[in-house]
Amino acid sequence: MLKKVRRPVNHQGKVENQPMSKLDAEKKRQLVKIQSSHDIEVHPYKITGNDLTVWSDKKEKYVYVSKAVKIKAIKRNIETKEIQIELIFWAYDKWESITISRGELTKRELKKQASKGLDVLEDFQAGEVSSFLSKQEKTLKPTNVHSGIGWDIVNGQLVYKHYKIITSPSTPSIDSTYSGDFNLKPNGDSYDFLGLILKEVRGHTPLELMLCISISALIIGMLNRTRKGNFDSLLVHIVGTSTIGKTTAAMMGVSLVGSPIPKEGLLQSYHGTKNAMAKTIVNNYGALIVFDESTMNLMDSQNQSAFIYEMSHNSDKSRLDKDSELKETQTWSTTIVSTGESSILGKANNNEGLRVRLFEFSIDNWTRDAEHSDTLKNELYKNYGHVAPKIAEKMLELGPEEIANMVESNKEYIQKLLPNSKFRDRIATKFSLMITPIELIKMTFNIELSEEKILEMLIEQELKSMTEREMAPKFHSQLKQYLIRYKRHFKHGTQEVIGHQEIWGKIETSSNETRCFILTVMFDKIVKELGYSDTKILINELKKMGVVLHEKNKNQKRKSVFSKSEMKQREETLGQAGYAEKGDYTYCITYEGNIFEDIV
Ligand SMILES: Nc1ncnc2c1ncn2[C@@H]1O[C@H](COP(=O)(O)OP(=O)(O)OP(=O)(O)O)[C@@H](O)[C@H]1O
Ligand SMILES: [Mg+2]
């Protein structure tokens, strides 16, 4: 029987390198030489080794022009139509490579590259080099590149610009590669990435929410570009102390689109000037971008909120460039996440505009624990950039019209769940942009997220972040929960209070309205308990909302809460003996519909 010979096998299943024979080594050397050689002939020019020569009929031989220089690639930007030339040249002791605009191939402009080491100091050199490059150029085909990100109309068709360009299956494909500041090239394996989502993201609401936030960028970009909707960029500010997984969550969000590695683009840190940071979002129509503040690098909160506010507007119009000329308007339309130690809304009391554009989250833990965070980071460094192109494909298949419908119908549904305020409509829109991604994820990857829990989290965060000015709607909705919870302390219609509960008021329900008469002493108590300081201001605001039933020129309303036989209870609650013929003073707060209907 033959004995099996075990060979050392590496993890890719390849046989470990055997010592190279002398012959092999020589072959390899030659191969490397050929690959790295820049020799080329474009009559009458020739590059041999490090020199550029030209054929002389007179001398019947090639004569020296300059050190070698040639075109490595021609790139045509499909957005600006600009042609960029990548040159490679021998500078003293090494090959250098630079990218110039095609217009700079002229003799005069080429001379400027002498400062980079291009051998064109003499007039005749520049002339010959320019003529050679012009000839060589004709032998090459340009490759398409794009530098913008997200949705765009190219050759009349809607496309999503990622590392490659995603087109609708029904339109011709466009071959172009991203050439810009961000690393969008998909890395690792898309199944590994989806596996990570299933294992570490699904079931953990804050991260599910972050998934949705990331995909909202595609929706906003698409609807804006196709003029199906006019949304400002969505801003999400994540507030919280250190080591709660803020950065991890943000990395997860950007990894749907591209590299989450700091300095590779989509995950920006708060440093540099405001203008430099703003530049990073110009021409972004549908890729999440994050401005991450680390404890090491705190931006003062005034500056941070000013920056965020500017970002929320979809363009940078009024700037002058350094020659005091009006710059071309720069635009964007996407979702922007920022992280920080302090609240932006808290300091922006009078800024209603910010209020509806900015979504602030203070969630205790974005990741379950340190280990969860570390597992995610490790995997995200290896696998990224797979999800956004797939979602874009699905969105193209559905078309902008259908996407707009989805957003609209989710908005209508959400509106019914929100407390009544003048912002309800706009907040519902904002929520809808974050809920609609759930459907897209389901359609594209058949991964199901918990809509119910995400919505609950959104509403909870919204209430938390409401500013003083909006305390009335917040209070109104908190009071509703309170009344439902302490229902037993209220008389309902003619029904007596069961047992020996304290009586706090009376509730009258019909199918379209609930009237809650709350004895003034109790109302004051509830106001304090819910964390508000001033009943009077609150009632005034509630009146403006139209949810207070009151007597003329008064805030209160008299109501017979206690019957003659309940004088003892009345004394317990109000501290007053006797029976009030005309009823006791209450604040009467109303709600649409029967608030107890869903509760048994
Ligand atoms: N939920 C968590 N509970 C406890 N520790 C955590 C949690 N999430 C992350 N960490 C720890 O904090 C480290 C940093 O994680 P991450 O950068 O995501 O936090 P962060 O909230 O952004 O903090 P910072 O404010 O310092 O930037 C992780 O390596 C991990 O050790
Ligand atoms: Mg961080």
Side-chain angles (χ1 to χ4, degrees):
M1 206 172 80
L2 271 173
K3 224 174 144 189
K4 266 192 180 163
V5 183
R6 280 182 177 269
R7 285 165 189 265
V9 171
N10 72 13
H11 58 269
Q12 269 130 17
K14 285 186 200 133
V15 176
E16 206 79 75
N17 279 345
Q18 300 289 311
M20 238 194 280
S21 74
K22 261 190 173 168
L23 208 65
D24 285 346
E26 179 54 29
K27 263 189 196 160
K28 201 174 169 193
R29 224 178 358 255
Q30 279 176 4
L31 198 69
V32 170
K33 210 171 150 193
I34 291 166
Q35 277 169 352
S36 66
S37 151
H38 292 290
D39 288 7
I40 181 181
E41 191 173 344
V42 183
H43 190 73
Y45 299 95
K46 193 161 110 175
I47 288 177
T48 331
N50 302 333
D51 297 333
L52 173 68
T53 56
V54 63
W55 175 258
S56 160
D57 281 336
K58 210 161 88 195
K59 295 186 183 160
E60 292 198 340
K61 63 169 187 173
Y62 281 94
V63 295
Y64 180 80
V65 172
S66 67
K67 283 292 154 201
V69 49
K70 69 170 187 176
I71 297 172
K72 202 169 149 200
I74 306 173
K75 291 176 175 175
R76 175 197 282 134
N77 189 308
I78 58 166
E79 295 142 329
T80 59
K81 312 285 179 211
E82 187 151 330
I83 306 279
Q84 296 258 299
I85 304 283
E86 203 185 326
L87 287 183
I88 183 159
F89 58 89
W90 183 261
Y92 302 102
D93 55 354
K94 66 192 274 266
W95 291 97
E96 284 285 7
S97 147
I98 54 168
T99 300
I100 59 171
S101 161
R102 184 167 183 272
E104 293 173 283
L105 283 181
T106 60
K107 182 176 154 187
R108 221 182 91 191
E109 292 296 314
L110 265 181
K111 281 192 118 177
K112 292 187 183 154
Q113 304 303 333
S115 59
K116 301 243 169 69
L118 191 67
D119 189 16
V120 287
L121 281 177
E122 305 264 2
D123 232 27
F124 87 93
Q125 286 181 308
E128 293 284 14
V129 168
S130 170
S131 142
F132 162 62
L133 293 178
S134 161
K135 283 193 160 53
Q136 192 215 345
E137 188 199 15
K138 308 293 181 295
T139 69
L140 297 169
K141 230 181 111 188
T143 52
N144 288 334
V145 296
H146 54 275
S147 52
I149 305 178
W151 298 100
D152 196 5
I153 314 282
V154 174
N155 303 336
Q157 70 185 75
L158 181 64
V159 302
Y160 183 77
K161 295 183 291 189
H162 190 248
Y163 180 65
K164 290 289 176 181
I165 288 197
I166 315 293
T167 49
S168 150
S170 61
T171 55
S173 62
I174 298 171
D175 188 25
S176 172
T177 307
Y178 177 73
S179 158
D181 300 335
F182 301 95
N183 179 4
L184 301 180
K185 190 173 179 179
N187 198 54
D189 187 271
S190 71
Y191 288 102
D192 287 349
F193 187 83
L194 292 174
L196 183 73
I197 297 293
L198 285 174
K199 202 158 154 259
E200 306 292 348
V201 173
R202 198 179 50 169
H204 186 63
T205 313
L207 292 181
E208 285 194 7
L209 175 61
M210 183 51 82
L211 259 181
C212 295
I213 291 171
S214 178
I215 290 168
S216 74
L218 280 95
I219 298 178
I220 293 169
M222 179 191 244
L223 297 184
N224 257 328
R225 270 296 214 213
T226 55
R227 301 181 193 281
K228 289 275 178 297
N230 187 14
F231 306 111
D232 284 306
S233 286
L234 189 66
L235 298 169
V236 177
H237 183 61
I238 296 179
V239 212
T241 52
S242 194
T243 60
I244 56 166
K246 300 189 299 291
T247 302
T248 311
M251 283 173 66
M252 200 278 295
V254 300
S255 67
L256 304 189
V257 195
S259 167
I261 299 164
K263 299 206 168 71
E264 291 199 0
L266 295 169
L267 187 80
Q268 297 271 323
S269 55
Y270 264 114
H271 59 56
T273 64
K274 243 168 46 177
N275 278 357
M277 289 196 296
K279 251 172 96 174
T280 60
I281 70 161
V282 168
N283 287 332
N284 183 330
Y285 285 89
L288 175 70
I289 187 151
V290 174
F291 293 100
D292 190 34
E293 184 188 62
S294 74
T295 8
M296 308 289 296
N297 192 359
L298 294 176
M299 193 183 197
D300 89 77
S301 60
Q302 206 63 40
N303 262 330
Q304 199 181 29
S305 63
F307 172 69
I308 290 296
Y309 189 58
E310 272 179 47
M311 292 305 95
S312 77
H313 295 282
N314 289 351
S315 69
D316 176 4
K317 288 189 191 95
S318 56
R319 295 277 176 67
L320 299 175
D321 65 14
K322 54 181 187 298
D323 303 319
S324 292
E325 292 193 9
L326 210 54
K327 269 196 317 198
E328 216 177 308
T329 308
Q330 306 194 296
T331 57
W332 57 84
S333 174
T334 187
T335 298
I336 300 157
V337 164
S338 91
T339 74
E341 296 249 307
S342 53
S343 159
I344 289 179
L345 282 183
K347 295 189 183 61
N349 272 340
N350 305 317
N351 202 336
E352 285 196 4
L354 193 58
R355 185 64 196 81
V356 288
R357 284 191 188 91
L358 177 68
F359 209 130
E360 198 160 274
F361 287 114
S362 56
I363 289 172
D364 294 338
N365 279 300
W366 283 87
T367 49
R368 276 196 298 271
D369 48 38
E371 201 190 332
H372 187 209
S373 167
D374 295 339
T375 307
L376 277 160
K377 278 191 186 176
N378 281 337
E379 285 300 310
L380 295 173
Y381 274 131
K382 290 184 278 189
N383 302 293
Y384 53 78
H386 300 286
V387 169
K390 286 273 172 262
I391 297 272
E393 257 172 48
K394 179 55 76 183
M395 288 171 78
L396 278 165
E397 197 185 305
L398 294 163
E401 199 83 43
E402 177 58 20
I403 300 290
N405 289 341
M406 284 161 75
V407 172
E408 186 56 33
S409 78
N410 280 327
K411 177 188 156 185
E412 279 165 23
Y413 163 68
I414 292 161
Q415 228 165 358
K416 297 197 186 96
L417 305 175
L418 292 177
N420 191 8
S421 85
K422 63 177 167 179
F423 299 119
R424 180 156 74 173
D425 187 76
R426 287 192 278 178
I427 290 169
T429 305
K430 207 164 68 172
F431 279 21
S432 174
L433 293 169
M434 283 188 254
I435 288 298
T436 310
I438 298 175
E439 289 172 74
L440 290 173
I441 291 169
K442 169 87 173 104
M443 285 182 207
T444 315
F445 302 109
N446 203 16
I447 292 178
E448 207 139 353
L449 306 180
S450 169
E451 179 178 309
E452 197 186 334
K453 286 197 179 144
I454 293 174
L455 254 177
E456 200 178 291
M457 182 167 269
L458 285 173
I459 293 173
E460 184 193 323
Q461 293 296 318
E462 186 65 29
L463 290 175
K464 228 193 217 177
S465 68
M466 278 187 172
T467 55
E468 278 284 294
R469 192 174 26 80
E470 293 154 300
M471 62 187 170
K474 180 177 175 180
F475 174 81
H476 191 236
S477 110
Q478 284 175 317
L479 180 67
K480 179 165 136 188
Q481 296 310 317
Y482 194 95
L483 293 170
I484 291 170
R485 186 156 164 216
Y486 294 105
K487 194 177 162 210
R488 63 178 193 279
H489 284 287
F490 291 85
K491 291 174 109 180
H492 294 260
T494 51
Q495 218 178 303
E496 296 292 309
V497 171
I498 312 150
H500 296 283
Q501 327 278 357
E502 237 186 23
I503 295 170
W504 297 350
K506 192 170 187 176
I507 290 171
E508 292 176 355
T509 48
S510 67
S511 61
N512 56 16
E513 194 179 50
T514 306
R515 293 178 173 186
C516 311
F517 300 89
I518 306 163
L519 290 162
T520 51
V521 226
M522 274 322 296
F523 190 83
D524 284 338
K525 259 194 199 162
I526 296 171
V527 167
K528 292 249 153 51
E529 208 176 309
L530 292 178
Y532 297 82
S533 50
D534 196 321
T535 305
K536 211 169 151 196
I537 297 174
L538 202 51
I539 283 288
N540 276 331
E541 291 295 323
L542 288 165
K543 262 169 118 177
K544 284 185 206 157
M545 277 174 71
V547 295
V548 182
L549 206 70
H550 53 89
E551 281 160 24
K552 211 176 163 191
N553 300 328
K554 279 205 170 68
N555 286 337
Q556 291 130 324
K557 180 142 186 77
R558 258 190 298 211
K559 186 76 185 167
S560 303
V561 176
F562 302 96
S563 65
K564 264 192 183 143
S565 62
E566 290 166 330
M567 268 156 43
K568 206 164 153 258
Q569 273 112 318
R570 181 171 184 269
E571 190 169 349
E572 266 170 26
T573 313
L574 302 179
Q576 287 169 15
Y579 169 70
E581 197 74 45
K582 290 182 179 162
D584 286 300
Y585 277 112
T586 66
Y587 288 107
C588 177
I589 311 295
T590 62
Y591 290 90
E592 264 174 48
N594 181 346
I595 61 169
F596 302 101
E597 208 150 51
D598 298 335
I599 312 151
V600 187

